[in-house]
């Protein structure tokens, strides 16, 4: 059974139909990519999944559970974490603190545990600290733990967002243009990183404009244009699809 | 804690413990106690404004709720005489409840609207206290409130026992707040301050967490209110107006929003200014005036300039040292950097773009 | 019914004052998204300026109607000019530096400026009520059993005049267009060659000048003022601006009249001491349930 299914999901903003009757399945353990020209509705799909918007029609189903109408924090608790196209780190918290916040849903210390600094809270925090360090090593940021997030270079901020998302122990990770604004070397490293995240057992839904990256790591690719799916399939097939070529060329991309 | 900071607190604790023996003037000791209440209020407001980034303006209303709660439960007004110590918790709880009642519908509002709503609430509460005179005693308030007793000994109007009670409450509060700041909840508060939407995606229930900040901040104000009512044995609406709210805001702005040490110091400075320094300085001026035969000095009342001072603090600190006297490291960076952007305009455009709610 | 009409007249007069103040809040908010907390105090300053200027004029020697009208116009314009200058200075000194800072920051300085203005007025004229010279003849009219005097007429007339003038200005002049453009998108306006700084300064000038007019008018109407007047009046006028949808000029005017009438009716049918509670409860309810204002769904036409 698919981990995530969108079933004829539509979303309109006033007159504009940003996503139109989109159906899409993400199998567990796979890397699925969502591509399409600017303004095609890709980020809107993420926002529909994570509860920023509610679908005008259709259902979002995750691990057999309907997510429509859930708030972002509940979606997170259900096992979906994401990154943002426009990086949204906690800019003036440290790198380590960012990853600690990412674990919020997995930590259990209650208010009084924190206020009284109980043994439970203290142990849990120590464990969270270790886990955050482990994740920062995983994304290669272990040397920057006490930097403010905003002081990291762009590419590292993207990786920090990934580490923060992984801290929530997601079953499904949504990556919105993780390679945007990074150089070719960083892109290669990112490709490796995405693969090894999948190897940790995390399913990935990826939005990306960089075709080399998409073609290199995806198990399946879905193509959106004007909110509608125009193609789907293995990367090589999609790449040769005339409608896809037209959608991209037609926009001069 | 770093070395200097540890030394700072050690010296502070010693001074605090010994103060009533160093300065035996009971009017002074009373002023120190009042200062302590301001610090307590500032610590509460700091949870809301400093940690969570919500500007709440009518904070004195929660102070009033605490004070009147104690007055209702421990005076001839309704013939109830509940123990002061029990009401310390009770007053805090009732204030917290009011915080939740006000916060629940309003916390989703934009920041400056929230400021105005809390301000409106801050106006309504003293008005209600005035108008509902059947219950509240109207403008005269409620008198003959029970004063605290401990081991059969009544505190009465001797400020010294209040001093030590206040000190104990402050010490416990600081300890709790320092723990909270570094806990899961404290990180959630700050995450909300930094980026509420991203915080929600980390699994933080932003509504509940903001509400908790509101409730806890209000509880501190309620606690301060009970202490105040117990100390003076009387309450009236006049002490809980907008000016009081502003005084507390000035304290945390001056000290440094979001930083415990800073807020503590800011509260002490504003508190002392309010209850001791301005009246003292006026007297000094008068004496100087008599000595030099300058009539203007003899008549000057520096208390008149109190709000110029608070207003000046708010404006000057925000313009020139937005992080306050003793800022938290992150808050300093934040306010400075954005300042910098503002000065090097042109970067302004990017900055605006980054703030758009584009996801 | 008779009482009702009487209070309606009072409410409209009062509403004219609130509407004039509300315009300043709404214009400034429309253009820089700041609740200009000091605005209510600029209004009181308008009353203080007016009564100070009036004290310089030998009013007892002036009796003819046209001459009195001339005095009134001169005082209004002067008070408006002075308040306008104060407004521009406040913007320049206290707000401009913080234009791109977190929104808390300018709001806090605005509160500080408000306190400073109040303290200045307190030192200037003391803490007790300050009388406003009554230079108009005490003439009353009765229409359908409702009594009102020249002052009420004048208050409503002056308010309406300035509101119409403002509307013409905002929608018919180049500077008005620049203000609307800046309110819509500051960066785009800048790219189009609009001088954003001076446009914002003009917005403060006009909003504050209108507060000065309101200050004169309310002095005339109430015959007295005091240094803290602007705090509550400002908050009520802000309520009016929110009621009309903040940023919306027409809305602010309507909101002003609504609040004025609500206040007059509350004092008639409930009690004087409940007016603030009622008005601020309206403020809270509106913000909670209809933060875009009463005028409907459409995005407010910003100044
Ligand atoms: N909150 C919103 N209100 C109105 N329109 C919106 C909103 N969010 C997105 N849109 C519109 O929906 C369409 C799809 O936007 P979306 O951000 O999903 O595109 P995208 O495929 O992610 O593009 P890009 O590659 O540029 O990121 C665009 O036309 C956009 O303007
Ligand atoms: Mg996108």
């Amino acid at each position: 059974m698919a981990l995530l299914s969108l079933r004829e999901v539509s979303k309109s903003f006033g007159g504009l139909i940003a996503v139109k009757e989109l159906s899409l399945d993400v199998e567990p353990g796979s890397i699925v990519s969502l591509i399409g020209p600017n303004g095609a509705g890709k980020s809107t799909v993420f926002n529909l999944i994570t509860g920023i918007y509610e679908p005008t029609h259709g259902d979002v189903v995750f691990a057999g559970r309907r997510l429509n109408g859930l708030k972002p924090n509940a979606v997170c608790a259900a096992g979906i974490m994401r990154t943002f196209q426009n990086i949204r780190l906690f800019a003036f918290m440290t790198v380590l603190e960012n990853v600690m916040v990412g674990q919020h849903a997995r930590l259990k210390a209650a208010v009084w545990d924190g206020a009284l600094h109980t043994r439970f809270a203290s142990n849990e925090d120590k464990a969270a600290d270790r886990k955050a360090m482990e994740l920062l090593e995983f994304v290669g940021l272990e040397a920057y733990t006490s930097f403010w997030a905003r002081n990291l270079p762009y590419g590292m901020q993207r990786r920090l967002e990934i580490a923060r998302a992984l801290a929530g122990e997601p079953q499904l990770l949504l990556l919105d243009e993780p390679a945007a604004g990074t150089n070719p070397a960083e892109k290669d490293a990112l490709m490796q990183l995405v693969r090894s995240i999948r190897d940790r057992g995390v399913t990935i839904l990826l939005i990306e404009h960089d075709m080399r990256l998409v073609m290199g790591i995806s198990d399946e690719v879905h193509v959106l244009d004007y909110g509608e799916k125009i193609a789907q399939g293995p990367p090589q097939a999609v790449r040769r699809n005339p409608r896809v070529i037209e959608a991209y060329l037609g926009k001069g991309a | 804690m770093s070395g200097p900071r540890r030394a700072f607190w050690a010296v502070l604790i010693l001074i605090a413990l010994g103060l009533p023996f160093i300065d035996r003037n009971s009017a002074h000791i009373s002023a120190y106690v009042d200062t302590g209440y301001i610090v307590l209020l500032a610590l509460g407001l700091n949870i809301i404004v400093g940690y969570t980034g919500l500007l709440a303006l009518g904070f004195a209303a929660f102070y009033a709720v605490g004070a009147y709660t104690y007055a209702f439960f421990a005076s001839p007004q309704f013939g109830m005489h509940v123990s002061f110590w029990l009401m310390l918790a009770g007053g805090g709880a009732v204030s917290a409840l009011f915080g939740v009642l006000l916060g629940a519908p309003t916390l989703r509002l934009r920041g400056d609207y929230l400021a105005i709503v809390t301000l409106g609430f801050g106006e309504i509460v003293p008005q209600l206290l005035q108008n509902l005179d059947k219950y509240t005693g109207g403008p005269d308030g409620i008198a003959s409130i029970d004063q605290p007793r401990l081991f059969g000994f009544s505190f009465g109007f001797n400020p010294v026992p209040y001093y030590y009670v206040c000190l104990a409450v402050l010490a416990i509060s600081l300890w709790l707040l320092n723990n909270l700041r570094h806990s899961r909840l404290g990180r959630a508060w700050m995450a909300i301050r930094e980026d509420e939407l991203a915080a929600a995606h980390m699994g933080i229930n932003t509504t509940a967490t903001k509400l908790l900040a509101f409730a806890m901040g209000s509880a501190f104000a309620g606690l301060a209110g009970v202490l105040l009512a117990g100390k003076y044995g009387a309450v009236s609406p006049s002490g809980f107006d907008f000016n009081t709210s502003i005084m507390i805001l000035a304290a945390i702005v001056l000290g440094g929003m979001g930083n415990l040490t800073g807020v503590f110091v800011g509260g002490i400075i504003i508190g002392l200014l309010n209850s001791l320094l301005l009246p003292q300085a006026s007297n000094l001026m008068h004496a100087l005036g008599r000595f030099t035969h300058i009539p203007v000095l003899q008549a000057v009342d520096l208390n008149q300039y109190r709000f110029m001072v608070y207003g000046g603090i708010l404006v000057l600190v925000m313009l020139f040292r937005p992080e306050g006297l003793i800022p938290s490291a992150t808050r300093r960076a934040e306010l400075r950097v954005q300042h910098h952007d503002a000065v090097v305009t042109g970067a302004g455009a990017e900055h605006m773009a980054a703030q758009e709610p584009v996801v | 019914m008779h009482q009702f009409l009487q209070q309606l007249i009072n409410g409209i007069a009062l509403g004219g004052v609130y509407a004039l103040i509300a315009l300043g809040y709404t214009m400034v908010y429309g253009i820089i998204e700041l609740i200009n907390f000091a605005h209510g105090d600029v209004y009181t300053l308008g009353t203080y300026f007016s009564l100070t200027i009036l004290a310089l004029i030998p009013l007892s020697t002036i009796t003819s109607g046209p001459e009195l009208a001339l005095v009134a116009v001169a005082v209004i314009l002067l008070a408006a000019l002075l308040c306008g200058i104060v407004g521009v200075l406040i913007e320049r000194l206290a707000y401009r530096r913080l234009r791109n800072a977190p929104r808390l920051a300018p709001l806090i300085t605005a509160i500080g400026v408000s306190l400073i203005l109040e303290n200045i007025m307190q030192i200037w004229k003391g803490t007790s009520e300050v009388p406003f010279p009554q230079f108009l003849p005490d003439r009353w009219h009765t229409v359908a059993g409702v009594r009102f005097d020249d002052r009420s007429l004048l208050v409503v007339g002056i308010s309406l005049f300035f509101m119409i003038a403002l509307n013409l200005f905002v929608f018919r002049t180049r500077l008005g267009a620049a203000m609307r453009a800046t309110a819509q998108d500051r960066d785009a306006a800048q790219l189009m060659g609009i001088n954003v700084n001076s446009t914002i300064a003009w917005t403060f000038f006009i909003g504050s000048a209108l507060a000065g007019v309101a200050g004169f008018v309310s002095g005339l109407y109430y015959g007295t003022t005091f240094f803290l007047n602007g705090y509550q009046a400002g908050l009520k006028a802000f309520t009016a601006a929110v009621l009309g949808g903040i940023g919306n000029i027409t809305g602010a005017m309507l909101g002003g009249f609504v609040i004025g009438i609500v206040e007059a009716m509350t004092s008639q049918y409930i009690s004087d001491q409940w007016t603030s509670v009622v008005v601020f409860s309206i403020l809270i309810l509106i913000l909670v349930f209809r933060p875009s204002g009463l005028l409907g769904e459409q995005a407010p036409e910003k100044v």
Side-chain angles (χ1 to χ4, degrees):
Chain A
M1 196 189 68
L3 181 61
L4 174 81
S5 328
L6 305 188
R7 298 187 184 148
E8 301 190 343
V9 170
S10 300
K11 173 69 191 173
S12 49
F13 298 107
L16 176 91
I17 301 175
V19 176
K20 195 171 171 192
E21 291 172 10
L22 176 69
S23 294
L24 176 157
D25 282 336
V26 179
E27 296 301 326
S30 62
I31 299 177
V32 176
S33 290
L34 197 57
I35 63 169
N38 289 112
K42 306 179 296 292
S43 296
T44 304
V45 171
F46 274 20
N47 293 341
L48 286 166
I49 297 170
T50 56
I52 294 181
Y53 307 136
E54 202 178 333
T56 320
H57 295 289
D59 291 327
V60 178
V61 179
F62 176 72
R65 175 171 169 215
R66 194 165 166 272
L67 295 186
N68 295 41
L70 289 190
K71 296 251 178 62
N73 56 304
V75 174
C76 161
I80 302 179
M81 298 290 286
R82 71 174 288 181
T83 65
F84 298 89
Q85 181 172 354
N86 305 333
I87 298 173
R88 299 187 74 137
L89 288 166
F90 305 117
F92 295 94
M93 294 171 80
T94 65
V95 166
L96 186 75
E97 277 175 325
N98 267 272
V99 184
M100 297 282 276
V101 174
Q103 298 180 56
H104 185 92
R106 309 295 155 217
L107 301 182
K108 297 191 175 56
V111 176
W112 51 87
D113 284 317
L116 302 174
H117 200 60
T118 56
R119 172 157 308 179
F120 176 76
S122 144
N123 287 342
E124 190 183 60
D125 259 14
K126 275 185 204 130
D129 204 286
R130 276 195 302 275
K131 185 171 148 196
M133 281 306 299
E134 186 261 316
L135 282 169
L136 286 171
E137 260 165 55
F138 178 65
V139 300
L141 289 176
E142 68 278 11
Y144 301 90
T145 48
S146 57
F147 278 51
W148 288 311
R150 86 174 311 276
N151 289 342
L152 294 183
Y154 199 77
M156 288 192 191
Q157 291 196 8
R158 290 242 176 248
R159 274 185 280 150
L160 176 55
E161 256 206 332
I162 293 175
R164 184 181 69 172
L166 287 175
E169 293 171 11
Q171 283 175 269
L172 175 67
L173 177 64
L174 310 180
L175 300 172
D176 197 345
E177 303 197 15
T182 57
N183 63 38
E186 284 175 322
K187 280 198 175 91
D188 284 336
L190 188 82
M191 215 186 308
Q192 277 313 318
L193 182 64
V194 173
R195 279 205 192 97
S196 50
I197 292 171
R198 193 256 319 267
D199 295 342
R200 287 167 76 112
V202 180
T203 308
I204 291 169
L205 181 58
L206 170 77
I207 295 177
E208 189 44 68
H209 280 299
D210 186 279
M211 281 308 135
R212 198 173 60 89
L213 201 153
V214 169
M215 298 302 153
I217 58 176
S218 309
D219 298 313
E220 189 174 33
V221 178
H222 298 259
V223 190
L224 283 189
D225 190 25
Y226 292 112
E228 281 187 90
K229 183 149 76 179
I230 57 170
Q232 121 179 39
Q236 296 316 318
V238 164
R239 170 182 248 166
R240 288 188 299 270
N241 185 318
R243 286 191 68 187
V244 176
I245 295 168
E246 189 201 349
Y248 273 88
L249 290 182
K251 301 235 173 155
Chain B
M1 246 190 312
S2 63
R5 193 154 276 208
R6 200 183 283 264
F8 167 84
W9 284 106
V11 171
L12 206 76
I13 290 168
L14 279 180
I15 294 178
L17 284 174
L19 199 56
F21 300 97
I22 303 165
D23 184 353
R24 287 169 174 275
N25 180 327
S26 85
H28 288 184
I29 298 174
S30 174
Y32 298 145
V33 181
D34 292 344
T35 300
Y37 299 162
I38 305 266
V39 174
L40 201 56
L41 287 162
L43 290 175
L45 186 62
N46 180 52
I47 298 178
I48 303 173
V49 182
Y51 288 161
T52 320
L54 306 164
L55 185 54
L57 285 181
F59 198 58
F62 299 108
Y63 192 23
V65 169
Y68 272 80
T69 302
Y70 182 58
F72 288 156
F73 279 95
S75 76
Q77 185 76 359
F78 296 114
M80 284 186 280
H81 296 279
V82 182
S83 142
F84 173 83
W85 310 105
L86 209 60
M87 286 314 293
L88 269 184
V94 173
S95 274
L97 183 69
F98 271 79
V100 170
L101 287 180
L102 178 68
T106 57
L107 280 173
R108 61 189 168 76
L109 294 176
R110 280 211 308 262
D112 37 9
Y113 276 18
L114 179 70
I116 290 292
V117 166
T118 51
L119 180 61
F121 180 72
E123 284 307 297
I124 290 174
V125 166
Q127 279 290 328
L128 285 179
L129 294 176
Q130 300 237 4
N131 294 352
L132 300 172
D133 42 8
K134 242 203 239 154
Y135 313 101
T136 63
D140 298 333
I142 298 172
S144 313
I145 300 172
D146 303 345
Q147 296 192 298
R149 308 178 65 85
L150 196 62
F151 310 126
F153 149 79
S154 171
F155 285 15
F157 289 100
N158 176 6
V160 177
Y162 295 100
Y163 179 86
Y164 284 105
V165 168
C166 182
L167 209 57
V169 170
L170 276 179
I172 295 170
S173 303
L174 280 170
W175 179 71
L176 289 175
L177 286 169
N178 188 48
N179 287 345
L180 272 177
R181 152 72 183 79
H182 295 101
S183 74
R184 172 174 180 259
L185 178 61
R187 290 191 296 267
W189 280 335
M190 285 184 294
I192 289 175
R193 182 186 75 198
E194 296 295 319
D195 187 335
E196 191 171 337
L197 189 116
H201 279 86
M202 300 302 121
I204 295 168
N205 182 339
T206 52
T207 314
T209 308
K210 289 197 283 183
L211 213 50
L212 207 51
F214 234 67
M216 290 179 121
S218 309
F220 275 93
L223 195 64
V226 176
L227 289 169
L228 181 86
K231 178 182 174 222
Y232 286 97
V235 292
S236 74
S238 62
F240 307 109
D241 53 4
F242 181 61
N243 292 335
T244 309
S245 298
I246 288 305
M247 187 170 72
I248 308 161
L249 182 67
I252 70 168
V253 166
L254 178 66
M257 286 184 276
N259 175 267
L260 271 188
T261 316
V263 168
F264 184 83
V265 172
I268 287 187
I269 294 176
I270 294 288
L272 285 181
L273 206 62
N274 193 51
S275 43
L276 200 60
L277 295 182
L278 283 180
Q280 293 266 343
S282 303
N283 291 339
L284 200 71
M285 290 286 186
H286 299 170
L288 202 69
R290 279 194 299 276
F291 187 67
T292 55
H293 301 287
I294 301 175
V296 187
L297 281 187
Q298 287 177 39
V300 78
D301 178 9
L302 289 179
N303 272 313
Q304 268 199 351
Y305 300 94
R306 180 175 301 197
F307 289 98
M308 188 97 71
V309 173
Y310 298 154
I313 286 174
L314 292 180
V315 174
L316 295 177
V317 171
M318 271 301 143
L319 286 179
F320 300 110
R321 200 177 158 83
E323 67 273 23
L325 294 180
I326 306 174
S328 72
T330 54
R331 201 70 180 148
R332 167 170 46 211
E334 175 169 12
L335 292 157
R336 279 271 178 219
V337 168
Q338 307 212 354
H339 252 228
H340 186 70
D341 284 355
V343 178
V344 193
T345 285
E350 283 163 47
H351 183 71
M352 299 276 294
Q355 283 201 331
E356 269 175 39
V358 182
V359 196
Chain C
M1 192 60 206
H2 167 83
Q3 282 294 346
F4 179 81
L5 287 177
Q6 187 73 56
Q7 287 302 336
L8 194 63
I9 303 271
N10 291 345
I12 290 173
L14 200 58
V17 175
Y18 289 147
L20 281 176
I21 310 173
L23 285 171
Y25 278 113
T26 236
M27 289 171 70
V28 165
Y29 195 91
I31 207 155
I32 54 171
E33 301 219 323
L34 167 71
I35 297 173
N36 180 10
F37 221 88
H39 189 64
D41 302 297
V42 173
Y43 147 78
T44 311
L45 213 48
T47 317
Y48 273 52
F49 285 143
S50 302
L51 60 87
T52 309
I53 299 166
L54 279 169
L56 299 175
I57 302 172
L59 289 170
S60 51
T61 64
I62 305 172
T63 46
S64 84
E67 281 180 9
L68 278 178
L70 202 67
V71 168
V73 170
V75 176
I76 290 182
L77 291 183
L78 211 54
L81 177 71
L82 290 173
C83 284
I85 293 172
V86 170
V88 171
L89 284 177
I90 292 173
E91 191 274 328
R92 184 70 195 82
L93 297 177
Y95 304 157
R96 188 176 293 181
R97 251 179 86 94
L98 298 175
R99 211 175 275 161
N100 292 320
R103 281 169 76 159
L104 271 187
L107 200 56
I108 291 173
T109 53
I111 294 168
V113 171
S114 161
L115 291 177
I116 293 173
L117 290 182
E118 283 166 9
N119 212 162
I120 289 175
M121 287 188 281
Q122 177 193 344
I123 293 162
W124 184 7
K125 299 265 184 203
T127 48
S128 40
E129 301 249 319
V130 185
F132 192 90
Q134 292 300 306
F135 62 101
L136 293 180
D138 201 16
R139 247 194 350 228
W140 289 82
H141 314 272
T142 309
V143 175
V146 178
R147 270 169 58 81
F148 54 91
D149 61 351
D150 280 352
R151 293 179 308 168
S152 313
L153 283 181
L154 209 62
V155 166
V156 177
I158 295 175
S159 311
L160 285 178
F161 172 81
F162 278 97
M163 288 178 215
I164 294 168
L166 179 73
N167 250 323
L168 290 178
F169 171 80
V170 168
F171 291 102
R172 295 287 164 78
T173 65
R174 279 180 65 88
L175 185 55
M179 283 159 96
R180 282 180 291 139
T182 310
Q184 287 249 324
D185 186 337
R186 202 187 304 160
D187 300 310
Q190 187 136 35
L191 289 175
M192 301 306 287
I194 291 172
N195 182 336
V196 168
N197 277 341
S198 91
T199 307
I200 292 175
W202 274 108
T203 308
F204 270 87
F205 181 84
I206 293 166
S208 306
L210 290 174
V213 173
F216 171 86
V217 162
S218 82
L220 198 65
Y221 186 68
Y222 289 110
T224 164
T225 186
F226 91 123
F227 75 105
L228 276 180
N229 233 0
Y231 171 61
Q232 286 229 342
L235 206 48
K236 286 176 184 166
F238 179 79
T239 308
V242 169
L243 199 61
I246 192 136
N248 181 328
I249 290 187
T250 325
M253 297 180 202
L254 287 179
F257 286 111
V258 170
I259 292 296
I261 291 167
V262 165
E263 186 169 338
M265 295 299 164
T266 308
S267 68
Q268 170 69 32
Y269 294 104
I270 304 176
S271 146
D272 238 358
Q273 43 175 340
W274 286 98
T275 55
S276 304
V277 174
V278 169
V279 172
F280 297 139
S281 302
I282 292 178
L283 172 70
I284 294 181
L285 293 176
I286 289 285
L287 281 179
V288 169
F289 293 107
R290 260 202 101 102
S292 58
L294 280 189
L295 277 194
E297 306 291 341
Q298 92 270 34
E301 34 140 337
K302 292 168 100 194
V303 180

